[in-house]
Amino acid sequence: MQYSGPEGGAPFDAVDPWDDVPDDEPPPRLPPLTPELVVSQLTGSRRLRMATQCNELISATDWADLHPGETLPTTTAAGVVPGAERAVQLGGDGTPLVAEFAATELAAQLHSSSWAGARLIGDALDLRHRLPRLWSRICETEIEAWQARRIAQATRHLTKHEAAFVDAAIADLLGRLPWGRLQALVDAAIIEANPERAAQLADLVGKADKKVHVGQADDHGLTTVYARVDAAAGIWLDAIIDRLADLLAAQGDESSKDNRRATALGLLAHPARAIQLLTTPVAGEEAGTDTAGPDTAGPDTAGTDTTGTDTAGTDTAGPDTAAPDTDDKDTAGTDSGAGDDDDPDLFDAPEPPEPDLPDPDGPEHPCTPGRPLTEAEIIAAVRRLDPAKLRPRVLLNLHLAEQTVRTGTGVARTEGIGPQAAEQVRAWLGDCTILLRPVIDLPAGLTPVDAYEIPQAMRDHMRLRQPVSSFPFAASRGRLDLDHTIPYRPGCGPGQTRIANLAPLSRLEHRLVTHGDWSRRQPEPGTLLFRAPHGHIYLVDHNGTHPLGTTSFAQAVWNTATPE
């Protein structure tokens, strides 16, 4: 058989793979395609990929052992020939020295850069010498190599002893939690390993990495704004954008919330227009004021949870605490002074004569809807305003251990932000009003109710108890549906709506168990069993997801969890 060459060139011979097959012979028959076969192929491919990547890490340590750096001078040694090979430490504290040029040859074989080769060796050595539990699971091909490498990189600045602390805290969780949830636990363990250093590092990074970048506009006249700022500033920025978006809606803007938020961000580039919008009376609100600010709860020393209350400023919730949110959107945040204008040069330009304005809190407030203010009126109004009244509502839910409350050091787990050093959160709260909310005693639970509707107090309790979806390997947070694991049936007994019969699910997951072929059972509060459409069973608890498969043991566990 001949085929024409490239771009119409001379033809060349090619072999037809079917030339040797007799015309009367039927094509080979493939096994019937079944769900079990597809799942088997997928799981087999996953195991093969994991084995290959774990073996790469093991081989990288072998390569390092074959190229030791003990006989070479270090980068700090005196009299080293410029440009000569040296001994380098590619991993963290406690890892052996390696010949500098060894990584390049390894990288060439892997079709990657010298930098990538050096990082591969450094990650592998970190795992073997500093994270022994993770390394053991790598050798047994039990975990994803890329996740282990991310942890090795995140802990490289720690001492060998501190890295071992992180290793002990999270090694058993790999493979049970999605990476987003696992990463938060890694960050928390790093802070716990050395809280003082974590606070210092956060301060140094905060000073070095802050920036704002505006991208090139596209042909639709849109651009992307990228900002890396202090977490507290980002929280307040998000909250004020949300507040302005809601005010735009109150004035008749019918576009989507995302569209209004984009418009609100643009308004901040015109402070006079933003202030006019913030001081425009809205039905149901006091003129010149904003919604209540912070929610804060006091320390929890009895293993209970407390929630905060709204005031003008920020929201902080005490140890193992959270505050219920009644807004359209949860906004975690603190007050680091946002809203106060202490710049003495702000109005140093020649001022126009100040008009004789009525009392801003009186009935003749000039900031009426539809009436644009002059610059002089805006300046005069700003001078009369309490900056705290311009602050939007910000909700910050903190979870603190009793030891952190007593010592002032440790981890503050902040919903929507992630783990932070307690010292860092204390700095956020340097200028805010704090109010305590009633304690929510999680172990005690709440009294069951007979109605299908879930009371707000029970929703708050569940939000604290299980902040993440209970579906297998789910990472969903935020606004979750509360599913009755034993479906509610009117007239079938009292107390059907209770903590032990509720489980948080995303809307899609809720639809899967209601209208799809997924089944779920909750043998005890917080522990759930899910059965997939083709029989695979998963156990989900506070330690993550445990696949049980389709074995007789898995089926026995499922049957044992039959609801009453």
Side-chain angles (χ1 to χ4, degrees):
M1 181 178 294
Q2 288 188 332
Y3 295 91
S4 60
E7 299 182 359
F12 58 88
D13 292 333
V15 177
D16 187 340
W18 297 103
D19 283 348
D20 297 331
V21 179
D23 294 337
D24 57 347
E25 182 175 328
R29 301 188 65 178
L30 298 175
L33 192 64
T34 63
E36 292 76 17
L37 177 61
V38 173
V39 169
S40 176
Q41 291 172 339
L42 288 173
T43 55
S45 298
R46 177 177 179 271
R47 286 194 297 269
L48 180 61
R49 185 188 70 246
M50 289 176 59
T52 301
Q53 294 177 351
C54 288
N55 284 334
E56 281 186 0
L57 287 172
I58 296 172
S59 298
T61 61
D62 294 338
W63 186 261
D65 294 340
L66 292 173
H67 298 81
E70 285 79 1
T71 61
L72 296 172
T74 64
T75 55
T76 58
V80 178
V81 177
E85 185 178 23
R86 309 178 185 186
V88 293
Q89 188 173 39
L90 299 177
D93 173 51
T95 58
L97 297 175
V98 181
E100 182 182 13
F101 295 163
T104 301
E105 184 177 358
L106 179 66
Q109 292 297 320
L110 297 176
H111 296 197
S112 61
S113 66
S114 298
W115 178 88
R119 169 157 283 202
L120 173 64
I121 295 175
D123 294 346
L125 292 176
D126 269 357
L127 288 163
R128 188 176 71 176
H129 294 273
R130 291 159 49 86
L131 304 164
R133 290 174 176 82
L134 285 177
W135 182 248
S136 176
R137 299 196 67 188
I138 285 289
C139 294
E140 297 296 329
T141 318
E142 295 178 348
I143 58 177
E144 297 278 1
W146 70 267
Q147 293 186 353
R149 292 188 63 183
R150 292 279 290 272
I151 296 170
Q153 295 162 14
T155 57
R156 184 155 297 156
H157 66 284
L158 301 178
T159 66
K160 183 177 180 179
H161 175 75
E162 293 165 354
F165 175 88
V166 177
D167 181 49
I170 54 89
D172 292 337
L173 298 176
L174 266 73
R176 300 178 185 171
L177 298 174
W179 176 250
R181 293 176 60 185
L182 185 66
Q183 187 174 27
L185 296 177
V186 172
D187 293 342
I190 290 173
I191 295 173
E192 289 178 320
N194 192 327
E196 293 80 8
R197 179 184 296 181
Q200 295 171 0
L201 184 63
D203 185 57
L204 291 174
V205 172
K207 293 178 179 177
D209 287 357
K210 290 189 291 188
K211 57 185 175 182
V212 176
H213 172 72
V214 179
Q216 183 175 355
D218 60 20
D219 54 358
H220 300 293
L222 302 176
T223 188
T224 300
V225 179
Y226 171 84
R228 187 174 176 85
V229 299
D230 291 329
I235 292 162
W236 277 105
L237 179 62
D238 182 74
I240 194 66
I241 288 173
D242 211 56
R243 173 62 177 158
L244 288 170
D246 291 341
L247 291 172
L248 287 170
Q251 290 196 352
D253 189 334
E254 297 180 354
S255 59
S256 68
K257 183 67 175 283
D258 284 342
N259 193 296
R260 284 184 278 115
R261 281 173 56 84
T263 302
L265 179 61
L267 278 176
L268 294 179
H270 304 276
R273 293 169 58 190
I275 290 174
Q276 180 178 1
L277 185 59
L278 288 168
T279 55
T280 299
V282 177
E285 293 185 6
E286 181 184 352
T289 65
D290 200 358
T291 52
D295 295 21
T296 309
D300 174 16
T301 59
T304 59
D305 283 73
T306 48
T307 60
T309 289
D310 288 344
T311 69
T314 59
D315 298 298
T316 62
D320 277 339
T321 70
D325 184 14
T326 57
D327 289 346
D328 292 337
K329 176 176 177 296
D330 286 345
T331 312
T334 63
D335 182 4
S336 58
D340 292 322
D341 236 330
D342 298 325
D343 186 355
D345 299 326
L346 183 61
F347 295 119
D348 277 358
E351 300 180 8
E354 185 171 318
D356 185 15
L357 293 178
D359 183 354
D361 295 328
E364 298 182 8
H365 192 293
C367 303
T368 53
R371 179 192 182 279
L373 296 181
T374 65
E375 181 177 354
E377 289 175 329
I378 293 173
I379 292 175
V382 168
R383 292 191 181 279
R384 298 185 184 190
L385 283 174
D386 177 2
K389 292 184 177 182
L390 294 179
R391 295 174 183 164
R393 170 173 295 181
V394 179
L395 182 66
L396 176 66
N397 294 328
L398 298 180
H399 301 267
L400 305 176
E402 181 180 350
Q403 181 181 1
T404 302
V405 177
R406 289 202 309 264
T407 63
T409 61
V411 181
R413 290 175 172 83
T414 313
E415 293 184 15
I417 303 174
Q420 301 287 328
E423 293 86 345
Q424 184 74 18
V425 176
R426 185 184 299 112
W428 294 354
L429 307 180
D431 178 24
C432 54
T433 305
I434 296 176
L435 218 67
L436 298 180
R437 281 194 170 179
V439 172
I440 295 180
D441 189 347
L442 289 183
L446 292 174
T447 302
V449 296
D450 299 337
Y452 173 78
E453 291 74 16
I454 303 170
Q456 185 61 46
M458 193 173 291
R459 290 185 178 277
D460 298 339
H461 189 104
M462 287 296 300
R463 181 179 175 186
L464 288 171
R465 189 185 191 102
Q466 293 177 255
V468 183
S469 168
S470 58
F471 201 78
F473 298 107
S476 304
R477 293 178 178 268
R479 295 201 174 276
L480 300 173
D481 294 345
L482 289 182
D483 172 41
H484 287 77
T485 50
I486 301 177
Y488 181 88
R489 293 183 176 88
C492 290
Q496 296 185 58
T497 299
R498 60 187 186 277
I499 295 297
N501 194 36
L502 296 174
L505 298 173
S506 72
R507 179 54 55 86
L508 173 61
E509 295 157 356
H510 196 170
R511 291 171 56 213
L512 288 173
V513 299
T514 303
H515 304 290
D517 292 329
W518 281 80
S519 303
R520 44 85 181 92
R521 294 174 178 176
Q522 186 169 201
E524 61 181 38
T527 299
L528 289 96
L529 286 166
F530 288 83
R531 186 170 63 183
H534 295 292
H536 291 261
I537 296 173
Y538 304 86
L539 186 150
V540 183
D541 61 10
H542 64 284
N543 286 321
T545 303
H546 311 266
L548 303 183
T550 57
T551 63
S552 57
F553 170 77
Q555 190 61 46
V557 173
W558 175 261
N559 293 336
T560 303
T562 301
E564 298 177 3

